[in-house]
Amino acid sequence: MKTAAIICEFNPFHNGHKYLIDTVKKHHADAVVAIMSGSFVQRGDVAVVDKYQRALCALQNGCDLVVELPTVFAVSSAQDFAKGGVDIAKALNVDILCFGAEDSDTDTLIKTADILSETAFENKLREHLACGEYYPKAVHNAVADIAGDAYSQIVSKPNNTLAVEYIKALNNTGISPVAIKRKGADHDSEITSQTIASATHIRNLLFENKSYEQFTCMNIENYADISKLETAILYKLRTMQKEDFEILPDVQEGLHNRLFECSRSSNSLEELYSNIKTKRYTLARIRRIIISALLGITKDDRSKSAMYVRVLGMNDTGAKIIKNSSLPIIAKTKQDYDRLSIDAKKQFDIDVTASDIFSLALKDTSDFTNDFSAKIIKI
């Protein structure tokens, strides 16, 4: 049996995701493992829908196994997001990693990954950042300096950027990368294509109480909105000292001073983001740092590898896949948790905290099951 992994968020699961899974099963693999973000996502936000609902939808639409990407990686940069997902893919002995990208030429993406791994790229990137360039533009220009416009255009597209990080993380794992061209709407686009729209557009429709049903098979009755956590986040930040900010992931070069000061002078999340943001630090990076502060994630937490495979849902094929995992499986949560190492328990505790806090962001906060009492989905 040939097995493919997809590192994903399904935030929410939509028709573009179904197209990706269908394509993988039609052309590349017999079984699909989804390694999915849980309660918080990479843009530094709560997931719009509970992870168990998203896992169920994924299983109903072609996935055989859905496992959770630990929160420490789910709310990290593209590089660490990819690393955490690949750690789990490797533990599950998958054959290929499939991903959607704006450019589906896998060989070109591999070459781009090689360029970004070179010392020459790092040196050029530092030069452009020293000139005060906005980080994504500095990456674009550094690649252009080394390899020309053809490759710099590759890294200017968001899903290509993540694809390149997947390929870098796959080095020496024995897992082959397979790029699949995205169909329809671009990442974060508000432009729709027949029945396919970006997850961003669907979330906006949901928040605006507009019809979204043509773009997703999910019936979203209860959704989460980070604005409900605004006071809790500001309170948390104002109780932190400068040294607490300094140990947060992605905080460097004196940013902890800015975080400390802005957290005490800002009266809303939007004001906070605006006050902290600079050309060097993107809005997404700032949001991820703030979420890390809320959840108590440190640089040390981020430096470790994934230490368990948390099963959210599976079918009979998925049950066979997890039998040969090289990492501990968490399925019967309390019993499996008790068998984890101290470091693995700490990593999982962050997932539990994330779920508990996520519940406060739901429209209906009573509709929530704690991680230790939730049962995995079996179909």
Side-chain angles (χ1 to χ4, degrees):
M1 179 175 68
K2 190 173 184 179
T3 306
I6 297 172
I7 303 172
C8 54
E9 293 185 322
F10 296 158
N11 186 38
F13 188 95
H14 57 62
N15 295 339
H17 297 134
K18 178 169 174 51
Y19 167 78
L20 174 61
I21 295 166
D22 289 345
T23 302
V24 172
K25 281 202 155 178
K26 184 176 180 180
H27 298 291
H28 303 286
D30 306 300
V32 173
V33 176
I35 303 167
M36 187 186 78
S37 298
S39 299
F40 286 78
V41 292
Q42 207 227 350
R43 66 191 300 269
D45 202 346
V46 289
V48 72
V49 184
D50 171 77
K51 60 190 175 186
Y52 295 101
Q53 292 182 54
R54 286 179 283 137
L56 174 61
C57 194
L59 291 167
Q60 291 171 335
N61 286 275
C63 288
D64 299 283
L65 173 65
V66 182
V67 301
E68 183 173 357
L69 178 65
T71 306
V72 294
F73 306 112
V75 295
S76 66
S77 66
Q79 182 178 8
D80 289 322
F81 181 91
K83 178 185 176 298
V86 168
D87 284 344
I88 294 174
K90 184 179 178 182
L92 291 172
N93 301 294
V94 306
D95 301 291
I96 59 175
L97 179 70
C98 297
F99 43 83
E102 288 87 356
D103 293 271
S104 59
D105 185 342
T106 305
D107 289 340
T108 301
L109 292 169
I110 291 173
K111 174 60 177 173
T112 307
D114 290 341
I115 293 168
L116 267 65
S117 300
E118 294 174 1
T119 303
F121 165 74
E122 292 294 336
N123 293 337
K124 283 291 182 182
L125 178 61
R126 279 194 289 270
E127 288 177 17
H128 285 283
L129 289 172
C131 294
E133 290 181 2
Y134 185 56
Y135 185 81
K137 185 170 181 60
V139 172
H140 173 278
N141 289 341
V143 173
D145 289 346
I146 296 168
D149 290 341
Y151 288 101
S152 66
Q153 291 302 317
I154 295 289
V155 298
S156 297
K157 300 170 185 175
N159 282 282
N160 283 350
T161 300
L162 196 49
V164 166
E165 293 300 336
Y166 290 147
I167 292 168
K168 288 166 63 180
L170 288 174
N171 192 33
N172 296 322
T173 63
I175 301 171
S176 301
V178 176
I180 296 172
K181 188 170 178 61
R182 285 175 60 90
K183 181 180 179 181
D186 291 336
H187 176 82
D188 279 348
S189 174
E190 292 293 334
I191 300 172
T192 61
S193 175
Q194 297 179 339
T195 60
I196 294 182
S198 70
T200 298
H201 184 64
I202 297 170
R203 290 193 300 270
N204 289 341
L205 291 174
L206 186 65
F207 294 145
E208 295 166 7
N209 200 28
K210 295 179 180 178
S211 175
Y212 61 85
E213 290 80 5
Q214 73 187 93
F215 305 119
T216 173
C217 58
M218 296 194 78
N219 179 26
I220 307 172
E221 294 182 353
N222 193 18
Y223 59 86
D225 185 342
I226 198 169
S227 65
K228 293 191 69 176
L229 300 179
E230 183 172 71
T231 300
I233 293 171
L234 293 175
Y235 167 78
K236 172 68 175 181
L237 297 177
R238 291 188 183 190
T239 61
M240 294 172 64
Q241 302 304 310
K242 286 185 180 180
E243 54 268 29
D244 299 322
F245 286 106
E246 196 168 9
I247 63 174
L248 295 176
D250 297 323
V251 171
Q252 54 193 19
E253 298 174 348
L255 180 59
H256 63 288
N257 292 316
R258 190 178 185 89
L259 287 161
F260 177 80
E261 292 161 5
C262 292
S263 66
R264 281 152 173 76
S265 61
S266 303
N267 296 307
S268 70
L269 282 179
E270 289 306 317
E271 184 181 355
L272 177 67
Y273 299 148
S274 177
N275 288 341
I276 298 172
K277 186 176 176 294
T278 67
K279 286 184 178 181
R280 185 71 181 268
Y281 302 107
T282 64
L283 180 58
R285 182 175 179 178
I286 296 301
R287 287 196 302 241
R288 286 194 294 269
I289 290 171
I290 298 305
I291 293 301
S292 293
L294 175 68
L295 301 178
I297 299 171
T298 67
K299 287 184 172 78
D300 182 61
D301 296 324
R302 183 72 57 76
S303 69
K304 294 179 170 62
S305 300
M307 288 181 273
Y308 51 84
V309 176
R310 171 71 189 285
V311 179
L312 298 178
M314 61 186 175
N315 59 21
D316 290 342
T317 301
K320 294 175 183 176
I321 294 170
I322 65 171
K323 284 182 178 180
N324 297 316
S325 173
S326 61
L327 285 174
I329 295 293
I330 299 180
K332 296 178 180 179
T333 313
K334 185 63 172 71
Q335 297 149 288
D336 296 334
Y337 173 84
D338 289 340
R339 289 191 282 266
L340 294 176
S341 68
I342 293 174
D343 283 344
K345 283 180 178 178
K346 183 180 180 184
Q347 192 173 88
F348 184 73
D349 287 344
I350 294 171
D351 294 345
V352 176
T353 298
S355 294
D356 289 345
I357 293 176
F358 165 84
S359 71
L360 300 175
L362 286 168
K363 186 178 179 182
D364 177 5
T365 57
S366 66
D367 182 22
F368 174 72
T369 304
N370 179 276
D371 272 9
F372 280 109
S373 58
K375 294 182 179 180
I376 64 172
I377 300 162
K378 295 182 180 179
I379 66 170

